[in-house]
């Protein structure tokens, strides 16, 4: 479950934007995200990176070396800034190699944000492919770039997913989950 607070609403960015918000570790797939940004370098898409970790400097070097002026690094952000960024962007990306579940995906969904994630355990459980987001083969940055472009350019698909994400995300608040667990416990007595 997740605790969802009442939060200030923020408008979407004027130009299409994509967010990576996670620890900046190699296994979290930041390199895949940046390679997809490089593939879409000539599109009018902004790529936001929020988080800190031991792979941050390497990521910044890659962006600088490849002249990725479409990538903005925020560093570590507060919870308030996290919720703001998730509301402002058009698409959330989780290219991680492994996740236990993908809580960040559900947080994004709660705010109506479609998620493009790696088709790996945890992520494929928290993203309903074609409904609340899209899955791509881990490491395939070209496929990730194609799926980003698809969601950015297909407003009908993006809006349909936004509706689905809110329904899906709302299922994971702590009160709902606690009641489900209590039913299981009572049933098994």
């Amino acid at each position: 479950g997740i605790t969802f607070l009442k939060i200030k609403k923020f408008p979407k960015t004027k130009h299409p934007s994509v967010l990576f918000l996670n620890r900046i570790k190699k296994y979290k797939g930041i390199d895949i995200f940046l390679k997809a940004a490089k593939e879409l370098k000539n599109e009018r898409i902004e790529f936001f990176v929020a988080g800190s970790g031991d792979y941050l400097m390497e990521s910044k070097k890659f962006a600088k070396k490849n002249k990725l002026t479409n990538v903005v690094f925020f560093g570590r952000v507060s919870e308030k800034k996290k919720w703001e960024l998730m509301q402002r962007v058009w698409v959330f990306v989780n290219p991680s190699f492994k996740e236990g579940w993908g809580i960040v995906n559900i947080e994004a969904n709660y705010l109506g944000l479609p998620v493009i994630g790696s088709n790996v355990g945890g992520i494929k459980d928290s993203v309903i492919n074609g409904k609340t987001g899209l899955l791509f083969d881990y490491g395939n940055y070209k496929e990730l770039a194609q799926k980003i472009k698809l969601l950015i350019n297909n407003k009908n698909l993006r809006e349909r997913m936004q509706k689905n994400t809110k329904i899906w995300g709302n299922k994971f608040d702590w009160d709902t989950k606690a009641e489900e667990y209590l039913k299981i416990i009572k049933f098994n007595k």
Side-chain angles (χ1 to χ4, degrees), residues 91-103:
V91 176
F92 186 81
V93 173
N94 189 342
S96 184
F97 169 67
K98 60 181 177 176
E99 289 290 336
W101 165 244
I103 295 284

Side-chain angles (χ1 to χ4, degrees), residues 130-132 159-169:
K131 260 189 121 172
T132 65
E159 287 178 350
R160 188 174 74 244
M161 283 187 180
Q162 287 170 340
K163 289 176 189 171
N164 293 333
T165 63
K166 289 180 183 182
I167 295 166
W168 177 243

